[in-house]
PDB file of all heavy atoms in Angstrom:
ATOM      1  N   SER B  56     -44.089 -10.776 -32.767  1.00  0.00           N
ATOM      2  CA  SER B  56     -45.012  -9.737 -32.309  1.00  0.00           C
ATOM      3  C   SER B  56     -44.172  -8.497 -31.900  1.00  0.00           C
ATOM      4  O   SER B  56     -43.163  -8.648 -31.205  1.00  0.00           O
ATOM      5  CB  SER B  56     -45.789 -10.217 -31.104  1.00  0.00           C
ATOM      6  OG  SER B  56     -45.845  -9.269 -30.065  1.00  0.00           O
ATOM      7  N   SER B  60     -41.657  -8.199 -28.807  1.00  0.00           N
ATOM      8  CA  SER B  60     -40.293  -7.960 -29.187  1.00  0.00           C
ATOM      9  C   SER B  60     -39.721  -6.809 -28.413  1.00  0.00           C
ATOM     10  O   SER B  60     -38.666  -6.891 -27.774  1.00  0.00           O
ATOM     11  CB  SER B  60     -40.159  -7.693 -30.691  1.00  0.00           C
ATOM     12  OG  SER B  60     -40.560  -8.810 -31.430  1.00  0.00           O
ATOM     13  N   ALA B 213     -36.015 -10.291 -29.924  1.00  0.00           N
ATOM     14  CA  ALA B 213     -37.353 -10.171 -30.531  1.00  0.00           C
ATOM     15  C   ALA B 213     -37.974 -11.529 -30.655  1.00  0.00           C
ATOM     16  O   ALA B 213     -39.181 -11.766 -30.331  1.00  0.00           O
ATOM     17  CB  ALA B 213     -37.265  -9.483 -31.903  1.00  0.00           C
ATOM     18  N   TYR B 214     -37.190 -12.472 -31.099  1.00  0.00           N
ATOM     19  CA  TYR B 214     -37.701 -13.879 -31.220  1.00  0.00           C
ATOM     20  C   TYR B 214     -38.057 -14.523 -29.945  1.00  0.00           C
ATOM     21  O   TYR B 214     -39.193 -15.025 -29.730  1.00  0.00           O
ATOM     22  CB  TYR B 214     -36.632 -14.717 -31.969  1.00  0.00           C
ATOM     23  CG  TYR B 214     -36.785 -16.180 -31.817  1.00  0.00           C
ATOM     24  CD1 TYR B 214     -37.901 -16.863 -32.293  1.00  0.00           C
ATOM     25  CD2 TYR B 214     -35.863 -16.960 -31.058  1.00  0.00           C
ATOM     26  CE1 TYR B 214     -38.080 -18.219 -32.173  1.00  0.00           C
ATOM     27  CE2 TYR B 214     -36.033 -18.285 -30.855  1.00  0.00           C
ATOM     28  CZ  TYR B 214     -37.086 -18.896 -31.427  1.00  0.00           C
ATOM     29  OH  TYR B 214     -37.306 -20.236 -31.225  1.00  0.00           O
ATOM     30  N   MET B 215     -37.134 -14.374 -28.946  1.00  0.00           N
ATOM     31  CA  MET B 215     -37.420 -14.973 -27.603  1.00  0.00           C
ATOM     32  C   MET B 215     -38.658 -14.299 -27.020  1.00  0.00           C
ATOM     33  O   MET B 215     -39.539 -14.977 -26.516  1.00  0.00           O
ATOM     34  CB  MET B 215     -36.226 -14.755 -26.680  1.00  0.00           C
ATOM     35  CG  MET B 215     -34.985 -15.509 -27.084  1.00  0.00           C
ATOM     36  SD  MET B 215     -35.207 -17.304 -26.912  1.00  0.00           S
ATOM     37  CE  MET B 215     -34.785 -17.526 -25.217  1.00  0.00           C
ATOM     38  N   GLY B 216     -38.689 -12.973 -27.101  1.00  0.00           N
ATOM     39  CA  GLY B 216     -39.810 -12.227 -26.520  1.00  0.00           C
ATOM     40  C   GLY B 216     -41.148 -12.630 -27.109  1.00  0.00           C
ATOM     41  O   GLY B 216     -42.152 -12.889 -26.387  1.00  0.00           O
ATOM     42  N   SER B 217     -41.136 -12.842 -28.434  1.00  0.00           N
ATOM     43  CA  SER B 217     -42.420 -13.178 -29.137  1.00  0.00           C
ATOM     44  C   SER B 217     -42.804 -14.623 -28.775  1.00  0.00           C
ATOM     45  O   SER B 217     -43.954 -14.952 -28.449  1.00  0.00           O
ATOM     46  CB  SER B 217     -42.199 -13.122 -30.648  1.00  0.00           C
ATOM     47  OG  SER B 217     -41.887 -11.767 -30.982  1.00  0.00           O
ATOM     48  N   GLU B 218     -41.768 -15.545 -28.786  1.00  0.00           N
ATOM     49  CA  GLU B 218     -42.101 -16.934 -28.451  1.00  0.00           C
ATOM     50  C   GLU B 218     -42.637 -17.054 -27.040  1.00  0.00           C
ATOM     51  O   GLU B 218     -43.672 -17.702 -26.816  1.00  0.00           O
ATOM     52  CB  GLU B 218     -40.884 -17.836 -28.641  1.00  0.00           C
ATOM     53  CG  GLU B 218     -41.025 -19.188 -27.975  1.00  0.00           C
ATOM     54  CD  GLU B 218     -40.391 -20.305 -28.749  1.00  0.00           C
ATOM     55  OE1 GLU B 218     -39.970 -20.062 -29.907  1.00  0.00           O
ATOM     56  OE2 GLU B 218     -40.281 -21.360 -28.204  1.00  0.00           O
ATOM     57  N   PHE B 219     -42.002 -16.375 -26.100  1.00  0.00           N
ATOM     58  CA  PHE B 219     -42.499 -16.468 -24.681  1.00  0.00           C
ATOM     59  C   PHE B 219     -43.818 -15.769 -24.521  1.00  0.00           C
ATOM     60  O   PHE B 219     -44.695 -16.229 -23.793  1.00  0.00           O
ATOM     61  CB  PHE B 219     -41.469 -15.848 -23.717  1.00  0.00           C
ATOM     62  CG  PHE B 219     -40.384 -16.874 -23.308  1.00  0.00           C
ATOM     63  CD1 PHE B 219     -39.412 -17.267 -24.256  1.00  0.00           C
ATOM     64  CD2 PHE B 219     -40.369 -17.410 -22.034  1.00  0.00           C
ATOM     65  CE1 PHE B 219     -38.462 -18.193 -23.875  1.00  0.00           C
ATOM     66  CE2 PHE B 219     -39.441 -18.300 -21.694  1.00  0.00           C
ATOM     67  CZ  PHE B 219     -38.453 -18.713 -22.587  1.00  0.00           C
ATOM     68  N   VAL B 221     -46.190 -14.818 -26.915  1.00  0.00           N
ATOM     69  CA  VAL B 221     -47.307 -15.289 -27.719  1.00  0.00           C
ATOM     70  C   VAL B 221     -47.629 -16.768 -27.429  1.00  0.00           C
ATOM     71  O   VAL B 221     -48.787 -17.174 -27.178  1.00  0.00           O
ATOM     72  CB  VAL B 221     -47.090 -15.101 -29.206  1.00  0.00           C
ATOM     73  CG1 VAL B 221     -48.232 -15.643 -30.036  1.00  0.00           C
ATOM     74  CG2 VAL B 221     -46.917 -13.576 -29.484  1.00  0.00           C
TER      75      VAL B 221
END
Side-chain angles (χ1 to χ4, degrees):
Chain B
S56 136
S60 295
Y214 160 66
M215 294 293 273
S217 301
E218 165 143 349
F219 275 72
V221 176

